[in-house]
Amino acid sequence: MEHGSRTCQDGDMTDERQRPGRRSDALTKARIVQAAVGLLNDGGVDMLTFRALAVHLSTGAGALYHHVANKSDLLAAAADEVMADVLSTVGDDDPSNGIRALMVGVFDAVTSHPWLGTQLVAAPWQPAVLRLFDRVGSELTTLGVPERAQFDAASVLVHHMLGVASQYDAGLRLTELNLGRQAFIESTISPLVEADSKGHPLLSRISQQITEHEDRGQFHAGVEIILAGIATL
Amino acid sequence: MEHGSRTCQDGDMTDERQRPGRRSDALTKARIVQAAVGLLNDGGVDMLTFRALAVHLSTGAGALYHHVANKSDLLAAAADEVMADVLSTVGDDDPSNGIRALMVGVFDAVTSHPWLGTQLVAAPWQPAVLRLFDRVGSELTTLGVPERAQFDAASVLVHHMLGVASQYDAGLRLTELNLGRQAFIESTISPLVEADSKGHPLLSRISQQITEHEDRGQFHAGVEIILAGIATL
DNA sequence: ACCTGAACACCGTTCAAGT
DNA sequence: ACCTGAACACCGTTCAAGT
């Protein structure tokens, strides 16, 4: 654990930086959040515990409450840190495709942090989501969407991205913890289909979607539908 | 602890209570789920506890595990019960507006069950969500959307609805627990605006949106954008 | 002021023991 | 087979006591 040599961010402001977990300078909210992000990336929400965090930072659990209000505050701060980082390194494409590049970039980022999607949809007014909204909005400005409709358009785009990302995360957890996608289909979808006498053509397509695992394709198709709708404004 | 207000465990056939879910039959998954929905509607997720549920059903906490696998299973079953009920009483409009009626109906239902939106987005492959997907899909069929694109279109619609609904729920919780929307704006949005030197026109609009509390209007506008996009397919 | 870490008030879940 | 409820293994959070 301690020799993690994890990726982490460089460019720290601290002059003397030991390994994460070695206590050389004062506790600070930034360091706590950084350690929290590390735990979340390693093992998801279940691994983020005030006790584990305290061990990682070589301090007591109660000390953390001098810098974060509670766990909800800590999670929001962790999400905001990752989101700010992601948004700063995405969307340097040509202006015509700026909105698509932004969407794909953030989608990939959310998808590679399996805890992030759940956190974002669980608390939609947290800073990380507002940051994302704002960025999508400014991208819509360069795309020529009228101001009046920017919030609505950004909302649809953001919700689509978060929705597909959380689907992806849930799919991962499904395959990790449970038996497999085929077993999931048989245990969850089949009963629904057989309960009614309807055809349920879409449920079959959902089964296909799950087995083929093409969340990225689904994501792209949705973005195009939304952009086509936005173009009519 | 539990000095007994519990009357006749077995051998009674005349014991009647007017409270829903209070019968002295054998424990069954349906009755457990029904009681769980009651607790959820009363006080949200925090109120749903195996101990509280056991008290409500006049049984022991461990007995519940004979009928539900765990809390996740119980939550999924509760969500599915509500969703099935909602879907059976919605969307009897004329075919041209069927999709709008369905969307609005489900949105209202999710919005009036403050725990439901969070549960749905947290586990996107649970039966309740699949049911919803399927229903939206069949509505899209009558609207003339080609089969090839139905899953993508339904996905965008469902994610939009769940996204706005969870925004609404979070807004409610914000006003209940915290100081008020204006205080929220000053504490959360203003720091974001002041951090950068950008204009952040959308964040101002978000502030407005929050204070005016027009989630329904936002929801409608988003649906129209998506339907316009779907029409191009 | 900051930190410590034991203590408090809960959880979900299990399991020997009953019926 | 079903139920009981104490026990287990945790949580987030608090707070007297230290530095």
Side-chain angles (χ1 to χ4, degrees):
Chain A
M1 296 266 182
E2 306 297 316
H3 329 208
S5 76
R6 308 196 63 272
T7 70
C8 286
Q9 322 295 345
D10 39 16
D12 222 339
M13 301 186 71
T14 52
D15 39 3
E16 168 195 359
R17 197 156 85 87
Q18 284 267 12
R19 278 235 176 71
R22 190 76 173 136
R23 173 80 175 291
S24 51
D25 32 24
L27 216 49
T28 198
K29 177 155 186 177
R31 279 188 55 225
I32 293 175
V33 170
Q34 193 179 357
V37 170
L39 283 177
L40 287 167
N41 288 341
D42 272 3
V45 209
D46 294 339
M47 192 169 265
L48 180 61
T49 286
F50 275 82
R51 284 172 177 81
L53 201 54
V55 169
H56 229 75
L57 292 165
S58 302
T59 182
L64 303 171
Y65 284 87
H66 285 263
H67 302 94
V68 298
N70 46 43
K71 188 164 189 180
S72 167
D73 177 40
L74 177 59
L75 280 168
D80 197 39
E81 167 135 323
V82 173
M83 182 60 70
D85 190 45
V86 166
L87 288 181
S88 71
T89 65
V90 91
D92 293 340
D93 245 19
D94 58 310
S96 80
N97 274 352
I99 186 71
R100 288 181 181 82
L102 173 63
M103 291 291 286
V104 171
V106 178
F107 175 76
D108 285 345
V110 173
T111 267
S112 65
H113 299 265
W115 55 276
L116 187 54
T118 302
Q119 167 62 22
L120 294 177
V121 297
W125 296 118
Q126 66 186 305
V129 178
L130 297 176
R131 220 187 269 276
L132 176 57
F133 254 94
D134 188 59
R135 180 62 177 272
V136 173
S138 68
E139 214 69 39
L140 288 174
T141 303
T142 73
L143 198 118
V145 175
E147 274 208 1
R148 178 86 172 73
Q150 276 182 20
F151 180 80
D152 296 329
S155 159
V156 175
L157 285 168
V158 166
H159 290 322
H160 172 64
M161 181 171 60
L162 295 182
V164 181
S166 71
Q167 268 187 10
Y168 174 82
D169 292 347
L172 280 186
R173 267 172 275 145
L174 236 52
T175 47
E176 279 172 12
L177 297 181
N178 291 13
L179 321 114
R181 288 165 181 266
Q182 195 59 38
F184 162 72
I185 289 168
E186 281 162 16
S187 72
T188 303
I189 293 190
S190 301
L192 281 178
V193 172
E194 286 157 13
D196 312 279
S197 55
K198 299 179 172 183
H200 293 284
L202 193 64
L203 279 183
S204 314
R205 205 178 310 282
I206 289 174
S207 311
Q208 222 181 4
Q209 196 78 14
I210 293 173
T211 48
E212 292 176 356
H213 198 277
E214 297 198 328
D215 308 83
R216 271 184 75 91
Q218 179 193 350
F219 174 69
H220 271 106
V223 169
E224 294 308 320
I225 290 177
I226 298 169
L227 287 180
I230 290 176
T232 69
L233 294 173
Chain B
M1 305 306 160
E2 89 301 339
H3 43 66
S5 59
R6 173 173 356 132
T7 59
C8 19
Q9 177 62 15
D10 35 280
D12 62 326
M13 310 162 193
T14 61
D15 187 339
E16 291 294 339
R17 294 282 209 279
Q18 52 273 57
R19 296 196 55 172
R22 180 74 172 91
R23 290 181 207 129
S24 41
D25 309 335
L27 218 48
T28 200
K29 176 154 185 177
R31 277 186 57 222
I32 294 175
V33 169
Q34 193 179 357
V37 170
L39 284 176
L40 288 166
N41 289 341
D42 272 3
V45 211
D46 294 339
M47 192 170 265
L48 181 60
T49 288
F50 275 80
R51 285 170 178 82
L53 202 54
V55 169
H56 229 73
L57 292 165
S58 303
T59 183
L64 302 171
Y65 284 87
H66 285 262
H67 302 95
V68 299
N70 47 42
K71 187 164 189 179
S72 167
D73 177 40
L74 177 60
L75 280 168
D80 197 38
E81 165 134 324
V82 173
M83 182 61 70
D85 190 45
V86 166
L87 288 180
S88 72
T89 66
V90 93
D92 294 339
D93 246 18
D94 58 310
S96 79
N97 273 352
I99 186 70
R100 289 181 181 84
L102 173 64
M103 290 292 286
V104 171
V106 178
F107 175 76
D108 285 344
V110 173
T111 266
S112 64
H113 299 265
W115 54 276
L116 187 54
T118 302
Q119 167 62 23
L120 295 176
V121 298
W125 297 118
Q126 65 187 307
V129 178
L130 297 176
R131 221 186 267 277
L132 177 56
F133 254 95
D134 189 57
R135 180 62 177 272
V136 173
S138 70
E139 215 69 38
L140 288 174
T141 304
T142 73
L143 197 117
V145 175
E147 274 208 3
R148 179 87 173 73
Q150 276 181 20
F151 180 80
D152 296 329
S155 159
V156 176
L157 284 168
V158 167
H159 290 322
H160 173 64
M161 182 171 59
L162 295 182
V164 181
S166 71
Q167 267 186 13
Y168 175 82
D169 291 348
L172 280 186
R173 269 172 275 145
L174 237 53
T175 47
E176 278 172 13
L177 297 181
N178 292 12
L179 321 114
R181 288 166 182 266
Q182 195 58 39
F184 162 71
I185 289 169
E186 281 162 15
S187 71
T188 302
I189 294 189
S190 300
L192 281 178
V193 172
E194 287 157 13
D196 312 279
S197 56
K198 298 179 172 184
H200 293 284
L202 193 63
L203 279 183
S204 314
R205 204 177 312 281
I206 289 173
S207 311
Q208 223 181 4
Q209 196 78 13
I210 293 173
T211 50
E212 292 176 357
H213 197 275
E214 296 199 326
D215 306 85
R216 270 185 76 90
Q218 179 193 349
F219 174 70
H220 271 106
V223 169
E224 294 308 320
I225 290 177
I226 298 169
L227 287 180
I230 290 176
T232 69
L233 294 174

